[in-house]
Amino acid sequence: MSNPLLAFWFRLFGRDDDHRLSPGLRRRIPVASASQASATIFLILRRMRAPLIVLITIFAISVLGLTLVPGRTEDGQLWRMSIFDAFYFMSYTASTIGFGELPQTFSDAQRLWVTVSIYLTVIGWAYAIGSLLALVQDRAFRQALALQHFMRMVARLREPFFLIAGYGRTGELLGEAFDALGKRFVVLDDDEDRIEALELAAYHADVPGLVADARDPGHLGVAGLANPHCEAVLALTDDDEVNLAVAMAAALLRPDLPVIARTMSPAIGERMAAFGTPTVVNPFDRFGDHLRIALRAPASYQLITWMESGPGTELPARGSPPERGRWVVCGYGRLGRELIPDLRAEGIDVTVVDPVADTAAHEGGIVRGHGYEPAVLQQANVAGAVGFVAGTDNDTTNLSLVTAARRVNPGLFVAARQNSPSSAPLFAAMNVDSLLVPTEVLAHEVFTQLSTPLLWRFLQEVPARGDRWAARLVDCITQRCGRRLDALWKVRLSRADAPALIPWIDTGEARLGVLLRDPDDRDVQLPVVVLMVMRDGECVLTPDDDFVLAPDDELLLCGRLAARRAVDTTMVVKAAREYVVSGRHVPVSWIWRRFSGVA
Amino acid sequence: MNLEKVVFGFFVLLAATLNFGFFIGDIADPALHNVYELFAAVVVSLIATVLKFGDRTQIGAVHLATSLVADLQLIAATIVWTYAAHISTDGLTAAAMASVVSLSGGALFANVVSVVLLVIETVSFHRR
């Protein structure tokens, strides 16, 4: 088999004159050629060569012999079988069907020959079928078959899709969310069990999945990196090196694609950022930011979690952050290193409890030992602390830490880290104040960015606006639309999406409040809130009713589903827009418009 | 000496020669065309086809194609012969024999192309 990757590297580096990044590079994304896809058929042919030749030879000899051996008819005439009769007889004999002696009874000489050929043909068939079964069991063959199937599926994708490298817990959550949106995606994972889980998952669409190392650009190419329908690359494996390799390959081969990469270490994150402009998501870093917001601005935190948790969720309870005081953080691993500077930045005193923490790396209070031991808790003075973080990478340890700390100080604000999805019910029963599930943090972040980029932009702006603003916005949304988030959607006031609004917007008198009236009764305000208006990359948060709209504005709205339909009506139907703006009922149909002279 | 090449060349050439042997002679005279020779031609042609399996070079693909054409022609010839000799009431008439032999003539043409390809491959082998 020729290796398309070798050819690729040769073509990439074989000529000295083209080391620059160029659009032409995209054509050289290593996608196995069509000949590779036909590898399976060639493999079958090559393996079946010997058995087939054996079978043909045995048949030829048996048939030939049968036409030469003399027989007798019933009236004693000499009789020889014709080639056709012999071939017919051998066909049903060799395949063990057996119709008896046709076209007439055989002589003993013929029977002798048939006996020999029966043994010969049985051996031949057994050999051929055995070879075929061995081939089907063959691992290389099955891999070739899976690759071919995968390539066909990817090539047949005629709609935008995401390329996901790594189908762990985050991949699963994202897959479910994307599938619910009707979004296609392609999965690469080096673990066979994960791909099998993918095939068993109940998705609406077929999801192509391949067991392959995502570090190999050839595999990325096969998974559709070169496909024009590919919309984004998501590197979500649990290995930072692999994620870095995927982000690099995507940035070099398809600089136009957005890349989202997961990492657990700031150093790798910086190396990723050196290639193009990937979005690097570090769940521990995000958790630290979230915790800071939760401590400083409970209403902002409430708003962010509500908007991030997707349509159909109830308004989460507003947390009551602890008063100022000292925090105890158990576990100085990846989470601790991200979290402690965040807490320090808030001006909070931190005591670290860790069995092997490096004192040099951390100035301030370090207590060596396991946090669930009473002596250590006493030493860390948990009784005098206000906040407690159970942040080790072991769920059992974290649960016992929370229990031990609460026994000493029941009023603690407790944040805990959940590592495995199977521990979820235990942590839920613990009822901690703030729970970090790294995979879910990741999934929420990535999903928000890819599904509604406008919402993501909105959430970036929220913390800067302060807590009172957020509290007012939450009140406004609950008053107008209730405590359930029905829908969050984006409208674009373009000629294509809002044909009825354009003439009105062009007058320069189009005010936002008018658009939000009910097209059935214009005195009624629709249950909808405009969260943000985006114009030429600039965004205006929570514009008031007097905001003047301009063409091609993008609006982010949240509200009831009925309100969504009503706004769509106003955007598309001229008569509805006319009624909402001026209160006049104008005819809708062409004939009535002619009669009434509205035109 | 490459035994694989020898076997391969042997079968390709044998298929062509047997085919030619059956084809030669008055087209409509059953006495001049031995049905065993047709049988041998079919068997050898099939073996030659299987020998070309799995060769992924360009010339190997063309080889396989011509070989399949020859098989198709020869099998069609045997089916016509079987029909004439066993099924139709007229027996092996001149017309039936003529169509058998002309079908085998088509196969002969494909086999000649096969031999030409074989020669090309052999000549260009040292300059690859």
Side-chain angles (χ1 to χ4, degrees):
Chain A
M1 253 203 265
S2 67
N3 184 347
L5 254 192
L6 283 178
F8 161 68
W9 289 122
F10 171 74
R11 287 169 68 183
L12 189 57
F13 300 114
R15 291 201 306 267
D16 287 341
D17 60 348
D18 194 6
H19 279 313
R20 310 179 311 281
L21 270 180
S22 68
L25 195 61
R26 260 206 268 160
R27 285 197 296 276
R28 291 210 293 269
I29 290 181
V31 174
S33 58
S35 66
Q36 160 121 33
S38 61
T40 46
I41 187 84
F42 277 106
L43 205 60
I44 296 176
L45 295 182
R46 197 185 289 256
R47 288 285 186 82
M48 290 307 289
R49 245 187 327 207
L52 282 176
I53 287 176
V54 168
L55 208 57
I56 291 170
T57 314
I58 288 172
F59 249 77
I61 292 169
S62 314
V63 170
L64 187 68
L66 208 50
T67 58
L68 298 178
V69 178
R72 295 256 169 226
T73 54
E74 287 178 11
D75 49 8
Q77 290 284 322
L78 183 70
W79 165 72
R80 281 202 174 89
M81 285 176 101
S82 74
I83 294 182
F84 170 68
D85 287 334
F87 179 71
Y88 176 59
F89 176 81
M90 277 326 299
S91 298
Y92 68 67
T93 308
S95 51
T96 68
I97 291 169
F99 285 148
E101 296 177 347
L102 294 180
Q104 50 176 298
T105 321
F106 287 1
S107 67
D108 282 348
Q110 283 173 317
R111 284 180 185 161
L112 182 68
W113 179 251
V114 169
T115 310
V116 173
S117 20
I118 283 174
Y119 283 102
L120 275 179
T121 47
V122 164
I123 291 168
W125 274 117
Y127 174 42
I129 289 171
S131 307
L132 197 61
L133 288 178
L135 180 65
V136 171
Q137 297 292 325
D138 190 90
R139 195 167 150 270
F141 175 75
R142 296 173 82 133
Q143 264 177 354
L145 214 60
L147 177 69
Q148 193 184 353
H149 180 67
F150 176 78
M151 281 178 70
R152 250 205 312 264
M153 279 175 88
V154 174
R156 272 205 301 256
L157 280 173
R158 288 280 174 277
E159 49 199 308
F161 65 92
F162 298 136
L163 200 170
I164 301 181
Y167 185 73
R169 181 72 195 135
T170 312
E172 264 177 27
L173 290 168
L174 276 174
E176 282 160 20
F178 286 145
D179 191 59
L181 275 188
K183 192 92 193 159
R184 305 294 300 269
F185 54 100
V186 172
V187 172
L188 280 180
D189 198 302
D190 56 359
D191 184 356
E192 207 162 340
D193 297 346
R194 306 295 324 158
I195 297 295
E196 276 172 13
L198 171 76
E199 282 163 2
L200 294 176
Y203 288 134
H204 295 293
D206 281 346
V207 180
L210 181 69
V211 184
D213 184 1
R215 270 177 298 206
D216 182 338
H219 293 152
L220 289 174
V222 165
L225 185 61
N227 192 318
H229 294 290
C230 184
E231 269 194 336
V233 178
L234 281 58
L236 305 174
T237 66
D238 51 4
D239 182 340
D240 279 0
E241 287 285 339
V242 176
N243 292 340
L244 176 62
V246 172
M248 270 166 50
L252 290 170
L253 300 170
R254 283 290 298 272
D256 55 325
L257 281 189
V259 177
I260 297 181
R262 155 190 178 171
T263 179
M264 298 285 189
S265 93
I268 296 270
E270 276 167 27
R271 283 170 68 188
M272 284 173 178
F275 288 90
T277 50
T279 312
V280 180
V281 184
N282 181 340
F284 298 132
D285 182 31
R286 289 298 145 93
F287 180 69
D289 297 346
H290 275 190
L291 194 62
R292 276 177 72 175
I293 297 168
L295 295 181
R296 188 165 17 120
S300 301
Y301 184 69
Q302 182 190 27
L303 180 67
I304 290 174
T305 46
W306 196 24
M307 294 292 149
E308 263 194 353
S309 43
T313 44
E314 289 277 333
L315 176 70
R318 188 171 301 177
S320 48
E323 64 279 17
R324 305 207 63 80
R326 207 169 40 82
W327 278 57
V328 176
V329 177
C330 286
Y332 192 61
R334 289 171 309 189
L335 172 62
R337 288 197 181 92
E338 291 286 351
L339 192 60
I340 290 159
D342 282 339
L343 291 173
R344 286 253 160 78
E346 288 292 302
I348 293 174
D349 247 359
V350 182
T351 308
V352 180
V353 178
D354 192 284
V356 290
D358 185 6
T359 326
H362 174 76
E363 69 285 355
I366 273 217
V367 178
R368 287 183 183 285
H370 291 284
Y372 42 81
E373 293 165 2
V376 177
L377 284 181
Q378 204 167 8
Q379 203 185 338
N381 191 10
V382 170
V386 294
F388 182 83
V389 180
T392 68
D393 56 6
N394 181 325
D395 284 348
T396 321
T397 310
N398 286 345
L399 287 166
S400 43
L401 281 171
V402 173
T403 322
R406 275 194 177 152
R407 193 175 305 134
V408 177
N409 183 348
L412 274 175
F413 180 94
V414 177
R417 166 178 167 189
Q418 175 197 324
N419 298 288
S420 135
S422 52
S423 337
L426 306 179
F427 280 98
M430 272 284 174
N431 204 0
V432 295
D433 300 290
S434 171
L435 181 65
L436 160 69
V437 188
T439 52
E440 286 179 16
V441 170
L442 254 168
H444 276 309
E445 280 280 338
V446 175
F447 182 72
T448 310
Q449 280 190 46
L450 288 174
S451 61
T452 32
L454 221 54
L455 172 65
W456 192 73
R457 180 73 189 266
F458 172 76
L459 294 177
Q460 297 301 304
E461 303 280 343
V462 166
R465 285 307 184 94
D467 207 34
R468 291 185 43 200
W469 173 86
R472 272 208 310 275
L473 180 57
V474 170
D475 289 344
C476 172
I477 295 175
T478 45
Q479 271 169 18
R480 274 197 204 174
C481 326
R483 300 178 63 80
R484 262 175 64 95
L485 189 65
D486 266 350
L488 245 168
W489 75 100
K490 180 190 98 168
V491 300
R492 194 190 169 99
L493 305 183
S494 65
R495 220 161 275 284
D497 296 343
L501 295 184
I502 293 296
W504 174 55
I505 290 176
D506 284 342
T507 60
E509 293 290 312
R511 301 203 181 278
L512 182 61
V514 178
L515 178 65
L516 303 184
R517 289 180 194 158
D518 192 335
D520 294 332
D521 179 359
R522 64 191 296 261
D523 299 332
V524 176
Q525 157 84 47
L526 285 172
V528 58
V529 175
V530 181
L531 298 175
M532 187 170 83
V533 178
M534 180 111 157
R535 185 181 299 172
D536 307 329
E538 296 294 313
C539 49
V540 182
L541 267 68
T542 53
D544 56 8
D545 284 354
D546 289 340
F547 183 87
V548 178
L549 296 166
D552 287 339
D553 275 355
E554 290 187 6
L555 275 59
L556 177 68
L557 306 107
C558 77
R560 291 280 179 78
L561 287 171
R564 182 175 184 170
R565 282 193 293 272
V567 173
D568 284 349
T569 308
T570 314
M571 281 165 55
V572 179
V573 182
K574 272 205 170 109
R577 188 261 299 165
E578 186 63 36
Y579 167 72
V580 164
V581 173
S582 65
R584 285 187 303 135
H585 284 282
V586 295
V588 182
S589 69
W590 177 82
I591 288 210
W592 277 114
R593 295 222 301 269
R594 284 270 160 265
F595 276 129
S596 56
V598 179
Chain B
M1 192 180 80
N2 182 344
L3 186 64
E4 191 194 1
K5 291 267 181 237
V6 171
V7 172
F8 180 67
F10 169 80
F11 275 101
V12 168
L13 208 55
L14 186 62
T17 50
L18 284 168
N19 198 174
F20 180 74
F22 177 79
F23 174 75
I24 198 82
D26 180 6
I27 196 167
D29 187 355
L32 300 184
H33 304 281
N34 188 335
V35 76
Y36 280 102
E37 205 164 7
L38 179 61
F39 173 73
V42 171
V43 171
V44 174
S45 187
L46 283 173
I47 290 177
T49 308
V50 175
L51 280 173
K52 291 165 187 169
F53 277 1
D55 184 351
R56 302 190 53 181
T57 57
Q58 176 65 30
I59 208 154
V62 180
H63 249 311
L64 187 59
T66 54
S67 205
L68 286 170
V69 169
D71 290 345
L72 202 67
Q73 295 272 114
L74 286 172
I75 287 169
T78 55
I79 288 172
V80 172
W81 179 85
T82 308
Y83 179 81
H86 286 268
I87 301 163
S88 84
T89 47
D90 309 340
L92 203 54
T93 57
M97 200 63 217
S99 63
V100 171
V101 176
S102 71
L103 280 167
S104 79
L108 177 64
F109 186 77
N111 273 320
V112 168
V113 172
S114 261
V115 173
V116 170
L117 285 174
L118 186 71
V119 173
I120 290 172
E121 211 177 4
T122 317
V123 170
S124 63
F125 179 70
H126 296 292
R127 281 184 280 140
R128 250 194 302 187

